[in-house]
Amino acid sequence: METILVQEGEEDFQEVICTAAGGRPHPNITWMLPEPKNTPPLHRNISKPDTVTSSYRFPSELYEGENITCVFEYALLPFMSTRTVTLPTYYLSSLKLKDHSLTTNNENETSLAFQLEDTNVRIRMEILGDLPSYKTSCVKDGHPLPEDVSVVGDDLFIRGPLQLHHAGEYVCQASYRKHLATLQFTVEAKPKVLLPVSFPPNISLTLKENSDHLRIECLALNASPAANVSWIFPHELNSTIHSDVTTRNGSHSVRSVLTVPVCMPSEYTIECVVEHLLLTGKKERQVSLPVCARPNITLHSSIEWESDTAYAGLVCSVESERPPVTISWGTENCDIDISSELVMSQSESQKSHMVIAESVAHIPIYLYGGCTVTCAVEHLGLEKPEKKSIDLPSLGLSTSRLFVGEELYDRLWHAVCEYSGDGVKPNVSWILPDDDTIVQPTVPSTYNGINVQVNSTFEFQLSQYEGKDLICVIQNKHGKDERQTIHVPKYSISSIEVLNKTTLYRRTPGHHEHRVTLQENLSYQKILLRAHGNAPSYKTQCYREDGSVAHTVGMALVFTEPVSELDAGLYICHVSYHHHTATVSIRMDVSSEETQHMIFVTTCFSSAVAITLILTVVLCVLCSIQNKRVLTYGTIPLFVLGPLSAL
């Protein structure tokens, strides 16, 4: 619920507005109004999708001080909400003269005395009350005002020059509707007072303080002839002087204004000197200038990264009682003009009775690393500019490292380009072989002060770039480029060797099988494999003849359960490293303990038969030779019969 004053033409209305917003459905708004007057209030309703507004417009004069109540009813609430407002009550206390030095009161009569020939006489009036508006009118001696006399705002203005017909009794009224206030006064027109030919001045010295300056005003008033006004002050004082002379009724007033800073770093005394022929010697008036409190100056720094560049954020803060403050920036031990790269902003804020001025500098480290940056402050409380300095961090040497390797978890190869440097984050990209394609993978960065560490990782399949060179390009946007090359190794797998005792069997031309025999009913028997090649690691997979997967551990075909005849058969083993692969065929036989005994017996029997046959053949040969000798010599030597008898 709100009340606003509405003026239409010469009519004033108090418009009372009740608004309900946000309800679904809209609430119902009703009014509790005072009894209607001659002019009933004007009512209107406005509904919007989320707001309902109802208002009454009351003529101000008829409904002063009346209570207006607005009732909000909502279907979903068990109670009604009311708001009440009381319309303003206006009053007009009085109409009186305002600050008039020529006013005299005699027997309840107010009289104003002016001199003949005065021009632009202004009689100021003041209205006491609480009214939205009012009208002021005046009459002279019961008749309308003369043509050169008019009411301007709250003032009665006599353009003049003042004549005898301007003198008389004036009645002025201020009115608003039924409210009325009257002021009655008399204007007297007196002849000019002839002053003596020479008279001394009235001397005064006043001091007025503005926001950043002091105005010292020295007056030598109403003298004839005009007095001479001069100043005595230190030459180093930053000041201006403005003087003027006004003449009225034969008297001369000299006004001289000295403008100086609002305070000084040390105490100064200012003198105004007035000279006049009727004064005995020179007349001095003195004033001491206030001493400024020294400002509190602080300089803070921080490192900020913006657009891949490290900046020093410097904040020079000056806390003082009085402005203004001038803050400037420079460098020491650097032959660089800081103004060309400086991004600076300055602001002021009020804290209690203190003024805080801040200047913020944004300086790129890559240009000013190792420099000493100074903040110079000029203030009225300082005899000379005061400096605060801070050393920017120096730039170190950048380092980079490049390596390539296999990621065990995703089986991809990664080429990694690591960079560490100060001041600027570079753009890292890769140049690929064959077509010199340039790729820019996502580059994670870590910032530590002015240092940035960049880790660019390029993922690829080994088959894409095996045996080729990858180039990492580190480009600094400020002109420094670096290239590094890394070679991707080339691998091969020439063959697979079965380390168990095997028998090589050729099934078809170019296709061989390795026959391996394992013991029946024994667990954890292994067929060991060895790959011939230069790969750093190998992946082994074995399949049975029916396509089912066999259990492998490392480079071994492992039978964890006791081996049976069901395990016998053909096994195909693949040993691979990425796209490199080799295959071996293994025919696995199972041997039982009884079979081994039978083989042993058979082998022993066969060996005995073979030895017997060999000895029989030898005996037959020997006997044949011996028979030939007996026929020749007729006697068998004993050294021959001995061995034969043994046989």
Side-chain angles (χ1 to χ4, degrees), residues 80-191:
M80 294 185 296
S81 178
T82 62
R83 299 287 188 276
T84 301
V85 69
T86 302
L87 297 182
T89 300
Y90 300 117
Y91 66 91
L92 178 59
S93 300
S94 63
L95 178 65
K96 64 178 184 178
L97 294 174
K98 181 179 181 181
D99 301 331
H100 207 291
S101 61
L102 300 178
T103 301
T104 59
N105 294 314
N106 296 318
E107 297 180 358
N108 297 327
E109 259 190 32
T110 300
S111 179
L112 301 175
F114 299 99
Q115 291 185 355
L116 289 171
E117 304 300 326
D118 282 353
T119 59
N120 297 329
V121 175
R122 186 181 293 272
I123 301 172
R124 301 181 182 276
M125 295 178 288
E126 182 178 16
I127 297 169
L128 299 179
D130 180 16
L131 298 172
S133 62
Y134 54 84
K135 294 181 180 179
T136 305
S137 61
C138 297
V139 295
K140 176 183 175 294
D141 298 327
H143 300 286
L145 296 175
E147 291 184 358
D148 55 353
V149 181
S150 59
V151 177
V152 179
D154 293 340
D155 300 340
L156 182 66
F157 187 67
I158 305 174
R159 288 185 291 277
L162 188 70
Q163 302 295 330
L164 291 175
H165 72 274
H166 293 123
E169 186 178 78
Y170 288 80
V171 177
C172 294
Q173 288 185 336
S175 62
Y176 173 73
R177 302 287 185 259
K178 61 185 178 182
H179 305 283
L180 182 67
T182 303
L183 171 65
Q184 183 175 339
F185 58 90
T186 301
V187 173
E188 298 179 3
K190 295 184 177 182

Side-chain angles (χ1 to χ4, degrees), residues 371-556:
C371 290
T372 299
V373 180
T374 61
C375 161
V377 176
E378 298 179 48
H379 187 264
L380 297 175
L382 301 171
E383 293 185 0
K384 61 180 181 179
E386 184 172 325
K387 292 183 178 181
K388 294 286 184 180
S389 300
I390 195 165
D391 295 329
L392 298 184
S394 299
L395 297 176
L397 296 176
S398 63
T399 60
S400 58
R401 185 170 73 101
L402 188 62
F403 60 91
V404 66
E406 178 187 11
E407 177 59 51
L408 298 179
Y409 297 102
D410 55 16
R411 300 290 293 169
L412 288 174
W413 273 67
H414 292 179
V416 181
C417 188
E418 293 180 348
Y419 169 87
S420 177
D422 296 337
V424 179
K425 174 190 172 184
N427 179 38
V428 181
S429 59
W430 294 86
I431 298 179
L432 306 182
D434 299 335
D435 54 358
D436 291 337
T437 302
I438 298 178
V439 295
Q440 292 180 322
T442 303
V443 179
S445 305
T446 303
Y447 298 95
N448 182 16
I450 66 170
N451 180 262
V452 59
Q453 294 183 353
V454 179
N455 187 325
S456 176
T457 302
F458 172 62
E459 296 182 346
F460 60 93
Q461 298 286 346
L462 178 63
S463 59
Q464 291 178 279
Y465 304 110
E466 185 178 16
K468 298 180 181 179
D469 291 336
L470 301 176
I471 301 175
C472 172
V473 181
I474 303 173
Q475 293 177 309
N476 186 319
K477 68 178 182 179
H478 299 291
K480 183 180 178 182
D481 291 351
E482 179 183 350
R483 291 191 174 205
Q484 290 198 34
T485 302
I486 191 167
H487 182 73
V488 180
K490 186 172 183 61
Y491 299 103
S492 65
I493 302 176
S494 59
S495 63
I496 302 174
E497 178 184 357
V498 180
L499 300 181
N500 298 55
K501 183 178 180 181
T502 63
T503 301
L504 189 62
Y505 173 68
R506 180 179 180 182
R507 293 181 59 188
T508 60
H511 185 196
H512 298 81
E513 286 184 1
H514 296 266
R515 300 186 70 96
V516 178
T517 301
L518 298 183
Q519 182 68 40
E520 187 179 21
N521 295 327
L522 290 182
S523 303
Y524 291 99
Q525 298 185 71
K526 299 179 182 179
I527 300 176
L528 302 178
L529 305 177
R530 177 190 294 165
H532 294 277
N534 63 344
S537 62
Y538 298 97
K539 179 181 179 182
T540 304
Q541 291 179 316
C542 293
Y543 301 91
R544 293 181 176 87
E545 195 170 6
D546 60 359
S548 60
V549 179
H551 180 61
T552 57
V553 177
M555 297 269 309

Side-chain angles (χ1 to χ4, degrees), residues 232-239 264 267-271 289:
I232 299 176
F233 57 89
H235 295 294
E236 67 271 15
L237 191 64
N238 183 18
S239 61
M264 300 299 296
E267 187 173 351
Y268 286 92
T269 299
I270 305 294
E271 287 189 2
L289 299 182

